[in-house]
């Protein structure tokens, strides 16, 4: 209470420019845990070394606990003091042994940071600043230590005791207790510390590394979940082999364990040798997980595994460098996923995600550079900008260098910084050195926020055969950054002939690094059509003078699958924006392009399914000066209905393509299922009389969750009698499966029905709804707040609902509460009435006594705009 109030008065701002090396290093630490859910005793023995010439005392971070004892070199001392939450110990020499003891209460830890209880087991989450909730320590990533961990616990309740590194001993004790000791030979920062104690079963595997080392793999879950771990174990082995092949990175310990827990603030955590996962990214079988879930599991398993090098062996000097490990690791996991199936579809999904989450962030009050300059609460900076835009920065550097030099540059980086805490600058310097390029101007990508806008116009003089492409860039102002410098934009482009459909040039890479530039092409015999930002080579918005006919042409003829998808999206977007503003639009070009795409048998079905999907309501909103949620919804529904009716026969064909073949998990089978789901959506949108019957039949007969959930989603959007029946059947069938119940909540929160706001308010009272579980909170509240029309329904009930839930959640779990806030920060994009209602709830949140600094930072920045 008191601390939160102090934060309200003047929250402490951490600034990048204030970085100073640690006063004391801690090369070795020994931890001794007497584990108990109600009261755990933690003894810590720190070997501390004075770093540089100074006489500063040792300052150890803590949070929530009190020291029970402090000793220096084996002698109890009492000249320590508490300043803020730090334990300050005066020390005279250059090296000492400092021991502390504290008591903590895992079962009262609802923040899920530090040591906490989940499903009767004990586990930890230390990134970013959770270790200080376990013991006193310099809790900053540039203090690297070798850890020795001993755990003692009740053997019946916690038969499994895991920690980082390798197991070095275990045994039984009197009174039903047992102990285990683990030792991690690799120095690591405290945020990578982990332990797990619980009643867990294991799916074991082995992996033999390139150099012949045999690694014992283990996926630890509740006994009854063991049958759902095969996919994750498989993905782990595939990831290990992929990192050896593609980046030359081998695993370095004898064991690699993953534990799944139900209560988790994030997706998963890369703790050295002991990854801890949100169970939604481990558990899967065809009956309970969709194709999307299977893919997400493989991607997150790969992501956390890849952190062993990009994050653990080379870690971050300070939290401003977060994208050093996250942007790079996302880039690595994207490459992995692209290699498992269709690279084009993977790129489409990643760009769609970037546009849905990062572009709005970059355009709003919470915009920040990939390397931020300041923060109040670091957990608020685990954002789409750090992760996904950060990955785009790495991708652009890879594009500029080309594959061979990029690999040489990552080798240099891993080699040079192994065992150290590095910076984004260190990474870029390796790219420059091994790539033999000058990235001085490119570095602006790390410091300037905002999504660059590129305008492209192409002129052709038939007589001279010369074509001139004029490019100009503009980076919009963002909070604290009113004016910007031109950036380096790597744009892949190619020209196609309007008459012949043939390519007129090779693909070229242009580095646009001025405010405006022209590029000239000679001997262009026919009217050229511009294909630009192919593969989404730069994370920018392109504004071109291409007509609907040009876009339709590219949708048919472009040889870059991403550009083809993009042309289709732009055509749809232009049509939907016109329809939103004018109340109607000519749908013909879109209908023809969709018809051709569906009919093109040369295209992979997964690609077709993505290409025929309309842009989301919020993406349409992002194109407008004032978002009109009802008009957008109406325009989009009208186009869906028209597409559904005009192409009725083709949707039926696409729907039937998957046939009745039993479930298999292959890229082909996934593509057919995806197309079937999309087709079902269009059949329902057409108003076809049998749509609900068709959906319900699919719902009942499905032998997998992908088809079942697609049918449920379709029914949940309508008001046929089958709707309630399907929701009830689904609920009853999966009443004891939390992850599937999340889908039940989410599907209703995303419904296109008029009564969704009221339905969501009722669901918040459902006996299965709880704010204590982050997945459940996100499945209802998070999903609702991205359902544009429902959340922004006139009157502001959606805003008040979100604020009420967020304030309640903040008392339990500030980190998760703060992540639900950003939709309220978009008030500037809406009409005055909605903006006023959104601001009113933000004001209310800011005024809540004792509100966390997590939520306070997000809400006050959102108000400032
Ligand atoms: N490093 C983790 C990842 O990207 C992120 C993470 C896991 C996290 N748990 C967290 C971040 C809790 C903040 C708080 O894989
Ligand atoms: Zn990560």
């Amino acid at each position: 209470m008191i601390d939160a109030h102090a934060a309200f008065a003047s929250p402490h701002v951490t600034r990048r420019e204030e970085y100073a090396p640690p006063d004391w290093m801690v090369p070795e630490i020994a931890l001794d845990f007497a584990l108990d859910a109600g009261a755990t005793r933690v003894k810590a023995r720190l070997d501390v070394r004075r770093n540089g010439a100074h006489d500063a005392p040792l300052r150890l971070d803590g949070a929530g606990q009190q020291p029970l004892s402090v000793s220096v070199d084996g002698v109890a001392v009492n000249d320590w003091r508490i300043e803020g939450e730090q334990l300050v110990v005066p020390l005279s020499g250059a090296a000492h042994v400092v021991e502390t003891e504290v008591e903590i209460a895992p079962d009262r830890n609802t923040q899920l940071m530090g040591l906490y209880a989940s499903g009767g087991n004990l586990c930890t989450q230390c990134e970013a600043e959770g270790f200080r909730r376990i013991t006193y320590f310099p809790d900053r990533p540039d203090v690297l230590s070798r850890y020795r961990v001993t755990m003692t616990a009740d053997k019946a309740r916690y038969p499994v005791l895991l920690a980082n590194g390798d197991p070095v001993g275990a045994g039984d004790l009197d009174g039903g207790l047992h102990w285990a000791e683990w030792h991690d030979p690799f120095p690591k920062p405290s945020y990578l510390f982990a332990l797990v104690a619980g009643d867990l079963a294991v799916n074991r595997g082995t992996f033999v590394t390139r150099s012949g080392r045999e690694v014992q793999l283990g996926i630890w879950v509740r006994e009854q979940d063991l049958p759902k771990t095969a996919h994750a174990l498989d993905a782990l082995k595939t990831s290990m082999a992929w990192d050896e092949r593609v980046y030359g990175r081998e695993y370095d310990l004898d064991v690699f364990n993953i534990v799944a827990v139900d209560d988790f603030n994030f997706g998963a955590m890369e703790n050295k040798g002991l990854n801890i996962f949100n169970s939604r990214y481990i558990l899967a079988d065809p009956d309970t997980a969709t194709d999307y879930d299977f893919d997400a599991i493989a991607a997150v398993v790969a992501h956390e595994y890849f952190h062993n090098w990009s994050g653990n062996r080379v870690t971050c000097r300070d939290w401003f460098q977060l994208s050093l490990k996250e942007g790079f690791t996302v880039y690595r996991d994207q490459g992995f996923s692209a290699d498992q199936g269709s690279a084009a579809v993977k790129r489409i999904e990643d760009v769609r995600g970037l546009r849905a989450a990062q572009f709005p962030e970059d355009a709003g009050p919470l915009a920040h550079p990939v390397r931020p300059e300041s923060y109040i609460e670091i957990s608020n900076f685990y954002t789409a900008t750090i992760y996904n835009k950060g990955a785009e920065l790495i991708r652009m550097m890879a594009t500029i260098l080309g594959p061979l030099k990029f690999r040489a540059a990552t080798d240099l980086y891993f080699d040079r910084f192994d065992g150290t805490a590095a910076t984004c600058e260190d990474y870029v310097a390796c790219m420059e050195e091994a790539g033999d390029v000058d990235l001085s101007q490119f570095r602006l990508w790390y410091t300037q926020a905002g999504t660059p806008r590129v305008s492209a116009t192409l002129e052709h003089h038939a007589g001279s055969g010369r074509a001139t492409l004029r490019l100009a860039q503009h980076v919009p102002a963002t909070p604290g950054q009113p004016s910007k410098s031109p950036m380096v934009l790597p744009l892949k482009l190619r020209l196609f002939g309007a008459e012949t459909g043939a390519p007129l040039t090779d693909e070229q890479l242009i580095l646009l690094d001025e405010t405006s530039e022209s590029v000239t092409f000679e001997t262009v015999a026919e009217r050229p059509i511009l294909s630009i930002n192919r593969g989404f080579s730069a994370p920018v918005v392109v504004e071109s003078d291409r007509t609907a006919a040009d876009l339709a042409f590219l949708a048919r003829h472009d040889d870059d699958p991403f550009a083809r998808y993009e042309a289709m999206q732009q055509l749809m977007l232009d049509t939907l924006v016109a329809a939103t503003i004018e109340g109607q639009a000519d749908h013909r070009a879109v209908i023809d392009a969709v018809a051709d795409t569906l009919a093109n048998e040369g295209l992979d079905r997964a690609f077709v399914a993505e290409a025929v999907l309309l842009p989301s309501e919020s993406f349409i909103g992002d194109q407008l000066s004032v978002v009109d949620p009802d008009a957008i919804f109406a325009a989009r529904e009208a186009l869906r209905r028209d597409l559904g009716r005009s192409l009725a026969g083709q949707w039926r064909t696409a729907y039937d393509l998957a046939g009745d073949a039993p479930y298999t998990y292959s890229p082909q089978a996934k593509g057919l299922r995806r197309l079937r789901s999309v087709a079902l959506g269009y059949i329902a949108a057409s108003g076809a009389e049998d749509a609900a019957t068709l959906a319900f039949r699919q719902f009942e007969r499905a032998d997998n969750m992908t088809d079942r959930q697609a049918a449920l989603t379709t029914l949940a959007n309508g008001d046929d009698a089958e709707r309630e029946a399907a929701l009830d059947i689904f609920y009853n069938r999966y009443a004891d499966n939390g992850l599937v119940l999340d889908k039940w909540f989410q599907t209703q929160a995303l419904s296109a029905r008029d009564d969704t706001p009221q339905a969501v308010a009722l669901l918040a009272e459902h006996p299965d709804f709880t704010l204590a579980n982050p997945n459940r909170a996100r499945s209802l509240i998070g999903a609702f707040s991205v359902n544009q029309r429902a959340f922004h329904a006139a009157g502001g009930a959606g805003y008040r609902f979100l604020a009420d839930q967020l304030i309640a959640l903040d008392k339990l779990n500030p980190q998760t509460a703060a992540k639900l806030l950003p939709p309220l920060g978009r008030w500037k994009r809406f009409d005055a009435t909605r903006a006023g209602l959104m601001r009113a709830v933000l004001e209310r949140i800011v005024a809540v006594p004792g509100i966390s600094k997590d939520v306070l930072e997000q809400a006050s920045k959102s108000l400032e705009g």
Side-chain angles (χ1 to χ4, degrees):
M1 258 322 248
I2 290 163
D3 288 328
H5 235 87
F8 187 9
S10 67
H12 179 257
V13 179
T14 305
R15 295 180 201 283
R16 186 172 73 87
E17 65 197 13
E18 288 170 6
Y19 173 82
D23 285 337
W24 291 85
M25 301 310 250
V26 188
E28 304 274 343
I29 174 173
L31 290 166
D32 187 343
F33 287 86
L35 291 165
D36 178 82
T40 289
R41 287 276 175 127
V42 188
K43 288 186 202 160
R45 181 184 192 279
L46 280 54
D47 272 320
V48 304
R49 298 266 183 285
R50 199 179 292 272
N51 189 32
H54 63 79
D55 54 10
L58 176 69
R59 291 181 173 272
L60 303 175
D61 300 301
Q65 75 279 58
Q66 286 291 320
L68 300 173
S69 66
V70 179
S71 79
V72 175
D73 300 325
V75 180
V77 296
N78 47 27
D79 58 349
W80 52 268
R81 58 186 193 273
I82 296 286
E83 273 181 33
E85 297 220 87
Q86 287 186 325
L87 171 64
V88 183
V89 187
L91 293 175
S92 53
H96 295 278
V97 175
V98 175
E99 289 169 275
T100 63
E101 182 170 6
V102 298
E103 188 175 292
I104 52 180
D107 65 359
R108 278 185 283 135
N109 181 349
T110 60
Q111 298 186 24
L112 315 182
M113 290 298 289
L115 179 66
Y116 66 93
S118 177
N121 299 323
L122 300 177
C123 65
T124 55
Q125 172 55 39
C126 293
E127 187 175 6
E129 297 180 336
F131 191 68
R132 64 187 63 185
R133 295 168 54 81
I134 295 175
T135 190
Y136 284 102
F137 194 79
D139 193 11
R140 43 186 287 170
D142 56 353
V143 173
L144 277 64
S145 319
R146 271 194 198 86
Y147 281 66
R148 187 170 285 283
V149 177
T150 310
M151 293 163 281
T152 308
D154 183 273
K155 190 172 183 176
R157 195 155 170 204
Y158 306 112
V160 175
L161 301 173
L162 306 171
N164 312 94
D166 297 312
V168 293
D172 289 343
L173 298 165
D174 290 345
L177 298 176
H178 72 145
W179 66 276
E181 185 177 332
W182 290 71
H183 181 220
D184 182 357
F186 292 95
K188 64 170 177 289
S190 51
Y191 82 86
L192 290 173
F193 166 79
L195 74 74
V196 172
D199 188 1
L200 297 163
V202 62
N203 183 358
R204 284 197 193 279
T206 56
F207 180 83
V208 180
T209 69
R210 205 170 45 166
S211 66
R213 174 201 275 275
E214 185 172 297
V215 185
Q216 302 304 319
L217 313 175
I219 313 248
W220 301 80
V221 296
R222 274 179 298 257
E223 174 90 48
Q224 68 265 30
D225 289 330
L226 267 185
K228 295 184 184 153
T229 54
H231 178 63
L233 183 58
D234 234 45
L236 175 59
K237 293 176 188 167
T238 315
S239 308
M240 294 176 86
W242 189 89
D243 212 16
E244 291 185 350
R245 185 161 50 78
V246 180
Y247 284 87
R249 300 293 116 198
E250 237 183 273
Y251 189 62
D252 49 12
L253 286 165
D254 296 336
V255 303
F256 186 83
N257 286 314
I258 294 180
V259 179
V261 302
D262 290 339
D263 304 286
F264 202 72
N265 282 346
F266 226 76
M269 181 63 211
E270 69 264 25
N271 318 299
K272 183 80 188 187
L274 178 57
N275 287 186
I276 298 182
F277 271 60
N278 186 325
S279 55
R280 68 178 298 203
Y281 292 115
I282 291 293
L283 304 179
D285 65 18
D287 186 53
T288 58
T290 61
D291 292 335
Y292 175 86
D293 296 326
F294 273 79
D295 289 349
I297 287 168
V300 178
V301 167
H303 179 99
E304 305 310 330
Y305 174 73
F306 296 158
H307 268 315
N308 190 55
W309 276 94
S310 48
N312 302 1
R313 290 289 288 259
V314 182
T315 194
C316 300
R317 187 191 72 173
D318 56 73
W319 292 121
F320 296 105
Q321 319 299 329
L322 182 57
S323 196
L324 174 69
K325 74 177 177 81
E326 295 304 345
F328 187 24
T329 304
V330 170
Y331 175 73
R332 279 151 55 68
D333 83 55
Q334 290 176 345
F336 167 82
S337 297
D339 284 353
Q340 309 308 306
S342 160
V345 170
K346 173 63 179 159
R347 188 65 184 139
I348 289 168
E349 289 167 350
D350 289 340
V351 173
R352 186 180 288 142
L354 189 79
R355 286 172 169 161
Q358 201 279 324
F359 280 21
E361 186 168 270
D362 236 353
L366 300 173
H368 52 276
V370 168
R371 186 181 56 209
E373 294 298 337
S374 69
Y375 59 78
I376 292 173
E377 170 51 60
I378 185 57
S379 339
N380 285 334
F381 285 79
Y382 286 74
T383 60
T385 297
I386 304 295
Y387 277 68
N388 304 81
K389 187 175 182 177
E392 296 300 322
L393 268 56
I394 307 296
R395 183 180 299 271
M396 286 189 283
M397 288 187 273
T399 300
I400 292 169
L401 267 62
L404 290 178
K405 284 181 174 171
F406 180 67
R407 171 62 197 274
T410 59
D411 283 352
L412 175 65
Y413 168 73
F414 287 126
D415 187 45
R416 182 174 291 169
F417 295 101
D418 189 11
T420 73
T423 62
C424 296
E425 173 53 33
D426 293 332
Y427 184 93
V428 177
C430 288
M431 295 286 127
E432 267 183 326
E433 197 175 316
D436 195 19
V437 288
D438 177 357
L439 295 172
S440 327
Q441 190 186 349
F442 185 88
R443 285 173 171 78
L444 285 170
W445 278 105
Y446 282 96
T447 56
Q448 286 193 161
T451 307
R453 305 182 83 87
V454 174
S455 76
T457 52
L458 184 62
E459 268 171 42
H460 180 232
H461 305 279
S464 65
R466 172 175 297 167
T468 308
L469 172 64
R470 288 181 217 289
L471 296 169
Q473 62 164 303
H474 167 70
V475 187
T478 49
Q481 297 187 335
S483 63
K484 318 264 178 163
S485 309
M487 307 178 70
V488 182
L489 314 181
L491 296 168
K492 285 187 182 166
L493 50 88
R494 190 168 199 184
L495 302 184
F496 290 90
E499 275 106 67
T500 59
L504 303 177
T505 64
D506 287 338
E507 180 173 276
Q508 317 193 354
L509 176 65
I510 303 252
L511 296 182
L512 173 63
D513 57 7
E514 316 257 355
T515 303
S516 63
E517 262 174 62
S518 333
V519 187
T520 312
F521 302 87
E522 306 290 346
T523 65
V524 177
E526 53 181 310
R527 186 175 80 83
I529 297 180
L530 172 67
S531 168
I532 188 168
N533 208 19
R534 293 155 66 82
F536 205 67
S537 56
V540 302
V541 174
V542 175
E543 290 151 352
S544 76
D545 59 353
R546 292 173 299 183
T547 62
D550 292 348
L551 294 169
F553 171 94
L554 290 169
R556 282 183 193 97
H557 299 287
D558 204 315
D559 63 334
D560 176 62
F562 180 82
R564 205 167 170 138
Y565 158 84
E566 187 75 339
M568 192 95 153
Q569 286 289 298
Q570 193 63 52
L571 181 60
M572 291 168 167
L573 202 54
D574 292 347
T575 305
L576 287 163
V577 167
T580 302
I581 293 169
E582 281 140 39
Q584 61 173 72
D586 183 352
H587 293 162
R588 213 168 332 130
V590 172
I591 292 170
D592 289 348
V594 170
D596 282 4
T597 304
L598 285 170
N600 188 336
E601 285 174 11
L603 299 171
D604 149 30
R605 294 300 97 182
F607 174 84
V608 171
E610 297 304 328
V612 302
L613 268 187
L614 295 181
S616 70
E617 290 166 57
S618 40
F619 192 56
I620 301 165
D622 294 343
Q623 319 305 313
L624 300 167
S625 51
V626 178
V627 183
D628 182 343
D630 298 311
I632 291 169
F633 179 81
R636 192 170 179 277
E637 285 307 299
L639 181 52
R640 269 163 53 78
R641 190 182 326 113
D642 207 357
L643 278 164
R645 287 189 183 162
S646 310
L647 308 177
Q650 282 182 284
W651 295 123
R652 297 284 167 162
T653 308
Y655 185 85
D656 292 336
L657 215 57
D660 287 330
Y663 172 91
T664 56
Y665 180 74
S666 66
Q668 291 71 20
K670 284 197 286 184
L672 290 171
R673 278 193 289 274
R674 180 90 187 107
L675 186 56
R676 169 153 62 191
S677 302
V678 171
L680 180 62
Y682 278 111
I683 292 168
S686 75
E689 277 205 3
D690 64 337
T693 314
L694 189 67
F696 194 71
R697 196 180 64 196
Q698 173 172 328
F699 176 79
E700 283 197 299
R701 292 192 184 171
D703 66 350
N704 65 84
M705 181 54 83
T706 304
D707 289 339
R708 191 173 296 123
Q709 196 186 358
L712 184 69
T713 299
T714 300
L715 290 169
N717 284 334
D719 37 38
D720 305 280
E722 288 89 343
R723 176 181 197 272
E724 288 306 315
L727 283 168
D728 285 350
I729 293 169
F730 192 90
Y731 175 82
N732 289 318
R733 176 170 176 158
Y734 297 109
D736 62 353
N737 185 322
L739 295 175
V740 184
L741 280 193
D742 292 340
K743 297 183 194 300
W744 186 80
F745 280 100
Q746 186 188 25
T747 303
Q748 297 178 75
L750 291 175
S751 168
R753 282 164 58 98
D754 295 342
D755 67 356
T756 294
Q758 296 87 299
V760 167
L762 277 177
L763 283 168
E765 306 295 321
H766 192 279
D768 288 306
F769 184 71
T770 170
L771 290 170
N773 177 268
N775 290 356
R776 186 59 48 82
R778 287 185 284 252
S779 74
L780 186 67
I781 303 162
F784 173 63
S785 66
V786 297
N787 182 343
Q788 183 164 274
R789 186 177 67 127
F791 179 59
H792 293 282
Y799 311 146
R800 292 188 292 274
F801 171 79
L802 175 58
D804 292 343
Q805 296 294 328
L806 199 147
I807 290 166
L809 179 54
D810 188 52
K811 297 194 172 70
L812 300 171
N813 186 334
Q815 211 178 84
T816 299
K819 285 201 190 95
L820 294 172
L821 192 131
L824 288 171
R826 309 197 62 211
W827 56 271
K828 267 195 185 164
R829 308 274 309 116
F830 290 81
D831 57 84
T833 309
R834 284 190 173 91
L837 291 164
M838 291 167 91
R839 286 189 62 92
V841 304
L842 284 168
E843 310 262 15
R844 173 153 70 91
I845 291 169
V846 168
V848 169
I851 196 80
S852 67
K853 67 170 176 167
D854 308 55
V855 168
L856 187 65
E857 176 173 35
Q858 301 293 72
S860 48
K861 287 182 176 170
S862 295
L863 276 168
E864 281 160 28

